[in-house]
Amino acid sequence: MGSAPPHDTLLPLDPETFAAESRSVIDFLDGYYRDVENYPVWPPDAEPGRLRTLLPDAPPEHGDPVDVILEDVRRHIVPGLTHWQSPNFFAYYPMNASTAGFAGEMLSTGLNAVPFVWAASPAATELEGVVVDWMCKLVGLPDRFLFSGGGGGVVHGSTCEAVVCTLVAARDRALSRIGHDAILRLVVYASDQSHSTFQKGARIIGIPPSNFRVIPTSAASGYGLAVDSLCSVVDADVASGLVPLYLCGTVGTTGLGAVDPVRQLGEVARRYGMWLHVDAAYAGSSLICPEFRDCIDGAELADSVSMNPHKWFLTNMDCCCLWVASPAMLTSTLSSNPEYLNSVSQGGAEVVDYKDWQIALSRPFRAMKLWVVLRRYGAAGMRAYIRRHVEMAEWFERTVRADQRFEVVAPRRFSLVTFRLRPRYEGDQAVDALNRKLLVAVNASGRAFMTHFVVDNKFVIRMAVGGAMTQMRHVRDAWELVKEKAKEVGALPSDFMDMQ
Amino acid sequence: MGSAPPHDTLLPLDPETFAAESRSVIDFLDGYYRDVENYPVWPPDAEPGRLRTLLPDAPPEHGDPVDVILEDVRRHIVPGLTHWQSPNFFAYYPMNASTAGFAGEMLSTGLNAVPFVWAASPAATELEGVVVDWMCKLVGLPDRFLFSGGGGGVVHGSTCEAVVCTLVAARDRALSRIGHDAILRLVVYASDQSHSTFQKGARIIGIPPSNFRVIPTSAASGYGLAVDSLCSVVDADVASGLVPLYLCGTVGTTGLGAVDPVRQLGEVARRYGMWLHVDAAYAGSSLICPEFRDCIDGAELADSVSMNPHKWFLTNMDCCCLWVASPAMLTSTLSSNPEYLNSVSQGGAEVVDYKDWQIALSRPFRAMKLWVVLRRYGAAGMRAYIRRHVEMAEWFERTVRADQRFEVVAPRRFSLVTFRLRPRYEGDQAVDALNRKLLVAVNASGRAFMTHFVVDNKFVIRMAVGGAMTQMRHVRDAWELVKEKAKEVGALPSDFMDMQ
């Protein structure tokens, strides 16, 4: 014990400093939220490589005080951001921040516990089990997805991870029956509206890219997957010796918010021995309102369901709930038992080790975030929140429909409206270019940010209502902006007179 | 415009509330950091299922004030946590929280920008490019891993994700040459000390589990991968028509901190056309100190390198840097271009779209966290921080060696010491059980938390120094605790007298 102790050089988690510096960051964010409405939503003079010219090309040798760093964030970084929390953000699908989501993330980040196995932080693992059960009940999934019903849930970072895990589980269930060589004969089915993550996920797990089937949808089915089209493709595959593996169903597609017929897909999946995954990344949040519950009818036929509270459920990035009917299907393929993770203290009791429910070993304590959101806002608060956005989208849809220059392209689903300037005459080839010009002008104004989609060869503008700070006045302003820019790009009212 | 606007029901991101509630959470964490030293590191009366009995089985219908929620965290959750930020946490590898890491996470979570494509938040993407370049220079990787050198980096959540992405890139490079059917002939090589993530990752991407080779290591090479053993296995595979695909090298293995000979592995990888990935998850942080830099000698022969700032670099969960020599290898297999992500405003410039560098589409703004850490502590501060832990581990190693009852099993690497009660006589069968009993007793005391490993059939206790709040006195206390519990479990000094 004679050695001199090493001298202390840095106290990176000293409580005094922690509280003072953290309060500076809170003040910074407080100011940001007060101002964000006035920032251009999309940075109008963004130029690839700009930030690199503003920052040194090597890290500093010596540290700076937190205020200097915050000032650099304000001057160099904030002006180059797309402001996802702006109330005028209507692009992609919004990703919700909230006071409670932030509080939950602070707790998770501050405690910085890593619940990869139960023993690595028992209460963190157990809170995750509790909160996915809560969400399961709240969105109205059948009891088979509850732990008490033989299923269970996990909190991932993204739908993509959930999809890869379920694909692997489905694949290994099949291969254990018919041998690993059969990986070349497995087929995955999705619609042309399914999220690109399914195709990417199938590729990642070794399904030959030529064995990914994209079933076309149409306006007739509201861009939902039509079971007849699906079955004829599956039958053809079976006839040629291929093995149907996995079927992707979606409640609220990314482009249009379309809803696949879950019950029918479930029946097809069962008939052919396929795994059915239901992706409710965006619209899953709306399922807490009974009026949307029929979208998930038939979920008892699914093998897995996922939704992202980080989209429309006031839970800051990142947070995805995945429920499976058979946890053993996941864990049998994703488990690993290296010696350095075995617990000497745990005893023999059966516990959930969430590392075996996901790709990664280490994992943040994400459950805390979702739990705080549910505790802070309650089911009633969340339902009111969702309904408010749907009402705003309904208003926008009605208003677009009432203006002869515009049309709603696919019927509004949930809080998403897809619209465009109407073709000025039969076969108007310029209408796509005009709408593209309109969208560029809207975004260049900085007063709103929207994105587009292409359906049936039509370029359509997506108005996705769902920001945590978005109020009716922002939706109204967005409509005024669209009309103003429509005039500017040359879609004058007179152009449309001959349509009357 | 005649419709009445919907009434407002919830203001989830109101600045007033945000600041007040966030300060409550900061105060909570401030208190937690002041007290955590006195908490049992591992919850002594943890029992599977306990938390579930304390919480309702459905979410509340109405929300609670933040103070009520924090009180529940204090009463129900904190007592069931393993306290990863306790200065007495020496288990697994510690995961660092810090004031700057927390500040960075708050900024990232508060801004809640989602840089999946450049246009979705230009400055967030660009900051990531800047910060991975900074880290690349800081750990002394060759220029080929810099963007300016034709390579580049990305911030993932975990090594496991980095490994899956590089495995897929390597796989598809091979399959594009020899056809998708060859997936059944691809072989991945690792040592018996490599992280379990490699085996799991190889399985995820469709490599037949029988094609994963585990090369035994021994004390002779310090548990590093011996190139002769490797080559003979590879040669045998080639002779039987298999295709060497991917070689895992590690700088600082999970069990023992062992270091594989990177240059030699690189030469073997090149000879056989394999992808070499170097996993420096834990020890990568130490490479910022020139005295450890030789561990990465030969890195210019690697295809990819990864390290986890969330372990030992004061960056709160989660944060993993992955560098690749050829970004095109990653993006050619991981890219997707759905219409809803195309930007109408971006122009034709070439940009980094990080969704094509990872599994998931959506992604948190993790770069902010690492950038704030580097800005706040500087390279010099970080070096001092790392060296302090290494010095503490050196002291622990010396002290263990000086006590005749104990032995250091593998030489200390970085800040990890592996030790055990020495066998009392040749062929002492009870020594493993005794050490297991010792570890259980140490952890049950609540005064420290350590984990174990098994090497050469020996049960060894791992003392991993690396907590953000760990000071010399905690290391000394841990040693006193080990001696005290050694006595209690029956390893009395007199037992060892005949060894003198």
Side-chain angles (χ1 to χ4, degrees):
Chain A
M1 217 68 120
S3 336
H7 57 283
D8 293 330
T9 43
L10 187 73
L11 293 172
L13 206 50
D14 173 58
E16 300 293 343
T17 325
F18 170 81
E21 298 194 3
S22 297
R23 284 193 201 102
S24 300
V25 181
I26 297 300
D27 292 344
F28 175 93
L29 288 170
D30 180 20
Y32 176 79
Y33 291 139
R34 285 173 201 274
D35 295 342
V36 65
E37 173 161 10
N38 303 316
Y39 294 157
V41 192
W42 200 80
D45 52 356
E47 239 176 76
R50 160 164 304 193
L51 186 65
R52 209 175 263 273
T53 66
L54 299 172
L55 301 180
D57 67 357
E61 183 62 16
H62 298 286
D64 276 318
V66 73
D67 292 336
V68 171
I69 300 168
L70 289 174
E71 185 52 30
D72 282 353
V73 173
R74 194 176 283 118
R75 283 172 52 213
H76 296 321
I77 297 175
V78 168
L81 293 176
T82 304
H83 298 289
W84 283 70
Q85 299 317 308
S86 165
N88 302 314
F89 183 101
F90 304 106
Y92 313 112
Y93 282 120
M95 299 278 198
N96 281 179
S98 74
T99 297
F102 184 81
E105 180 62 59
M106 275 198 292
L107 288 172
S108 160
T109 299
L111 298 169
N112 213 38
V114 189
F116 43 63
V117 291
W118 179 85
S121 214
T125 290
E126 297 194 9
L127 189 67
E128 187 161 339
V130 167
V131 84
V132 288
D133 271 2
W134 282 12
M135 281 301 288
C136 184
K137 292 174 181 175
L138 205 55
V139 299
L141 289 181
D143 288 354
R144 69 196 293 252
F145 294 107
L146 295 172
F147 279 98
S148 59
V154 57
V155 181
H156 283 174
S158 68
T159 300
C160 311
E161 181 173 4
V163 164
V164 167
C165 291
T166 54
L167 276 166
V168 167
R171 183 198 68 190
D172 286 358
R173 176 176 70 171
L175 298 185
S176 71
R177 237 180 17 237
I178 54 180
H180 198 95
D181 294 9
I183 193 170
L184 301 170
R185 292 190 289 124
L186 302 177
V187 188
V188 176
Y189 301 85
S191 91
D192 58 2
Q193 301 299 315
S194 302
H195 195 278
S196 59
T197 197
F198 287 104
Q199 193 149 10
K200 183 166 170 174
R203 180 168 181 163
I204 286 174
I205 71 146
I207 304 294
S210 55
N211 286 6
F212 188 88
R213 303 275 174 269
V214 177
I215 318 288
T217 62
S218 70
S221 61
Y223 303 98
L225 192 44
V227 171
D228 291 351
S229 320
L230 171 66
C231 287
S232 60
V233 176
V234 178
D235 284 335
D237 283 334
V238 171
S240 63
L242 297 175
V243 180
L245 177 71
Y246 187 102
L247 174 58
C248 317
T250 308
V251 174
T253 61
T254 313
L256 301 171
V259 175
D260 292 334
V262 173
R263 179 170 299 284
Q264 292 176 45
L265 297 193
E267 286 159 359
V268 173
R270 296 238 161 152
R271 194 179 326 143
Y272 293 93
M274 285 190 279
W275 183 293
L276 172 63
H277 179 78
V278 176
D279 166 17
Y282 153 65
S285 297
S286 73
L287 302 177
I288 67 171
C289 304
E291 63 269 32
F292 293 112
R293 199 61 64 73
D294 59 345
C295 292
I296 200 84
D297 173 61
E300 70 276 13
L301 301 174
D303 296 281
S304 50
V305 180
S306 60
M307 59 89 68
N308 290 352
H310 67 218
K311 281 201 169 66
W312 195 15
F313 206 77
L314 293 174
T315 309
N316 298 44
M317 280 284 291
D318 49 358
C319 184
C320 167
C321 293
L322 166 68
W323 296 276
V324 291
S326 167
M329 289 285 153
L330 273 190
T331 58
S332 66
T333 186
L334 294 173
S335 69
S336 57
N337 286 301
E339 188 60 43
Y340 46 78
L341 295 182
N342 291 336
S343 167
V344 293
S345 310
Q346 178 181 313
E350 203 163 302
V351 293
V352 170
D353 289 333
Y354 271 124
K355 71 177 173 58
D356 301 336
W357 295 57
Q358 62 172 28
I359 296 171
L361 169 61
S362 63
R363 57 205 311 276
F365 183 12
R366 292 192 186 96
M368 176 60 91
K369 196 158 50 177
L370 183 52
W371 183 75
V372 174
V373 167
L374 287 165
R375 287 294 309 275
R376 184 76 190 88
Y377 301 132
M382 290 307 308
R383 277 187 216 107
Y385 175 72
I386 295 289
R387 284 173 178 149
R388 187 177 57 167
H389 287 152
V390 173
E391 286 166 5
M392 292 182 208
E394 283 169 349
W395 178 88
F396 194 88
E397 182 190 32
R398 271 198 314 276
T399 308
V400 170
R401 284 194 194 281
D403 189 312
Q404 55 175 349
R405 294 169 298 174
F406 292 88
E407 65 180 0
V408 171
V409 180
R412 177 194 54 78
R413 294 307 300 246
F414 312 104
S415 64
L416 175 70
V417 182
T418 49
F419 69 101
R420 63 168 184 166
L421 284 163
R422 197 190 281 279
R424 283 158 297 186
Y425 45 85
E426 189 83 29
D428 179 356
Q429 299 292 325
V431 68
D432 275 359
L434 193 67
N435 276 291
R436 185 178 287 267
K437 242 170 113 180
L438 170 59
L439 179 58
V440 170
V442 163
N443 292 346
S445 77
R447 289 155 51 199
F449 182 41
M450 301 178 191
T451 49
H452 74 280
F453 191 57
V454 172
V455 59
D456 294 339
N457 292 314
K458 298 172 192 165
F459 180 98
V460 300
I461 301 176
R462 294 171 72 266
M463 170 75 176
V465 179
M469 289 202 275
T470 300
Q471 302 291 331
M472 190 58 210
R473 67 185 164 89
H474 303 106
V475 175
R476 260 200 229 103
D477 287 350
W479 172 241
E480 292 303 317
L481 175 66
V482 166
K483 286 192 297 182
E484 178 189 319
K485 294 300 167 190
K487 265 188 208 155
E488 281 179 29
V489 300
L492 295 166
S494 60
D495 290 2
F496 293 83
M497 281 306 139
D498 45 5
M499 297 189 64
Q500 297 301 298
Chain B
M1 219 70 120
S3 335
H7 57 283
D8 294 331
T9 42
L10 188 71
L11 293 172
L13 206 50
D14 173 57
E16 300 294 343
T17 326
F18 170 81
E21 299 194 3
S22 297
R23 284 193 201 104
S24 300
V25 181
I26 297 300
D27 292 344
F28 175 93
L29 288 170
D30 181 19
Y32 176 78
Y33 291 139
R34 285 175 201 273
D35 295 340
V36 65
E37 174 161 8
N38 303 317
Y39 294 156
V41 191
W42 200 80
D45 53 357
E47 240 176 76
R50 161 163 305 191
L51 186 64
R52 209 174 262 274
T53 66
L54 299 172
L55 301 180
D57 67 358
E61 183 62 17
H62 299 286
D64 276 317
V66 74
D67 292 336
V68 171
I69 299 168
L70 290 174
E71 184 53 29
D72 282 352
V73 173
R74 192 176 284 119
R75 284 171 52 213
H76 298 319
I77 297 174
V78 168
L81 293 177
T82 304
H83 298 289
W84 283 70
Q85 299 317 308
S86 165
N88 302 313
F89 183 102
F90 303 105
Y92 313 111
Y93 283 120
M95 298 280 197
N96 282 179
S98 75
T99 298
F102 183 82
E105 180 61 58
M106 274 198 292
L107 288 171
S108 160
T109 299
L111 297 169
N112 213 39
V114 189
F116 45 63
V117 292
W118 179 85
S121 212
T125 290
E126 297 195 9
L127 189 67
E128 187 161 339
V130 167
V131 82
V132 289
D133 271 1
W134 282 13
M135 281 300 288
C136 183
K137 292 174 182 178
L138 204 55
V139 300
L141 288 181
D143 288 354
R144 68 196 294 252
F145 293 108
L146 296 171
F147 279 97
S148 59
V154 57
V155 181
H156 283 172
S158 69
T159 299
C160 313
E161 182 174 4
V163 164
V164 167
C165 291
T166 55
L167 275 166
V168 167
R171 183 198 67 190
D172 286 358
R173 177 176 69 172
L175 298 185
S176 71
R177 238 181 15 240
I178 53 179
H180 198 95
D181 294 8
I183 193 170
L184 301 170
R185 292 190 289 125
L186 302 178
V187 188
V188 175
Y189 301 86
S191 91
D192 58 2
Q193 301 300 314
S194 303
H195 195 278
S196 60
T197 197
F198 287 104
Q199 192 148 10
K200 183 166 170 174
R203 179 167 182 164
I204 286 173
I205 71 146
I207 304 294
S210 55
N211 286 7
F212 189 86
R213 304 275 174 267
V214 178
I215 317 288
T217 61
S218 70
S221 63
Y223 303 99
L225 192 45
V227 171
D228 291 351
S229 320
L230 170 66
C231 286
S232 61
V233 176
V234 178
D235 284 334
D237 283 335
V238 171
S240 64
L242 298 175
V243 180
L245 176 71
Y246 188 100
L247 174 59
C248 317
T250 308
V251 174
T253 61
T254 312
L256 301 171
V259 176
D260 292 333
V262 174
R263 179 170 299 284
Q264 292 176 45
L265 297 193
E267 285 159 359
V268 173
R270 295 238 163 153
R271 194 177 327 141
Y272 293 94
M274 284 191 280
W275 183 291
L276 172 63
H277 179 79
V278 176
D279 166 18
Y282 153 64
S285 297
S286 73
L287 301 177
I288 66 170
C289 305
E291 63 269 32
F292 293 112
R293 200 60 66 72
D294 59 346
C295 293
I296 200 84
D297 173 61
E300 69 275 13
L301 301 174
D303 296 280
S304 50
V305 180
S306 60
M307 60 88 68
N308 289 354
H310 67 218
K311 282 201 169 66
W312 195 15
F313 205 78
L314 293 175
T315 309
N316 299 45
M317 282 283 291
D318 51 357
C319 184
C320 167
C321 293
L322 167 68
W323 297 275
V324 291
S326 167
M329 289 285 154
L330 273 190
T331 57
S332 66
T333 185
L334 294 174
S335 69
S336 56
N337 287 299
E339 187 61 41
Y340 45 79
L341 295 181
N342 292 335
S343 167
V344 293
S345 310
Q346 176 182 316
E350 204 165 302
V351 294
V352 170
D353 288 334
Y354 271 124
K355 72 177 173 58
D356 300 336
W357 294 57
Q358 62 173 27
I359 296 172
L361 169 61
S362 63
R363 58 204 311 274
F365 183 11
R366 293 194 186 94
M368 175 62 90
K369 195 159 51 176
L370 183 53
W371 182 77
V372 173
V373 167
L374 286 165
R375 287 294 310 274
R376 184 77 192 85
Y377 301 132
M382 291 307 307
R383 278 187 216 106
Y385 175 71
I386 295 289
R387 283 173 178 151
R388 186 176 59 167
H389 287 151
V390 173
E391 285 165 6
M392 292 182 207
E394 282 169 350
W395 177 89
F396 194 88
E397 181 190 33
R398 273 199 312 277
T399 308
V400 170
R401 283 194 195 282
D403 189 311
Q404 54 176 351
R405 294 169 299 175
F406 292 88
E407 66 180 0
V408 170
V409 179
R412 177 194 55 77
R413 295 306 302 245
F414 312 105
S415 64
L416 174 70
V417 183
T418 51
F419 69 102
R420 63 168 184 165
L421 283 163
R422 196 190 281 281
R424 284 157 296 186
Y425 45 85
E426 190 80 29
D428 179 357
Q429 297 292 325
V431 68
D432 273 0
L434 194 66
N435 275 292
R436 185 178 286 266
K437 241 170 112 180
L438 170 59
L439 179 58
V440 170
V442 163
N443 291 347
S445 78
R447 289 155 51 199
F449 182 40
M450 301 179 191
T451 50
H452 75 281
F453 192 55
V454 172
V455 61
D456 295 338
N457 292 314
K458 298 171 192 166
F459 180 98
V460 301
I461 301 175
R462 294 172 71 264
M463 170 75 178
V465 179
M469 289 202 275
T470 300
Q471 302 291 331
M472 189 59 210
R473 66 186 165 88
H474 304 106
V475 175
R476 261 201 227 103
D477 288 350
W479 172 241
E480 292 302 318
L481 174 65
V482 166
K483 286 193 296 182
E484 178 189 319
K485 295 300 169 191
K487 266 188 207 153
E488 281 179 28
V489 300
L492 294 166
S494 57
D495 291 2
F496 294 83
M497 281 308 140
D498 45 4
M499 297 191 62
Q500 295 301 296

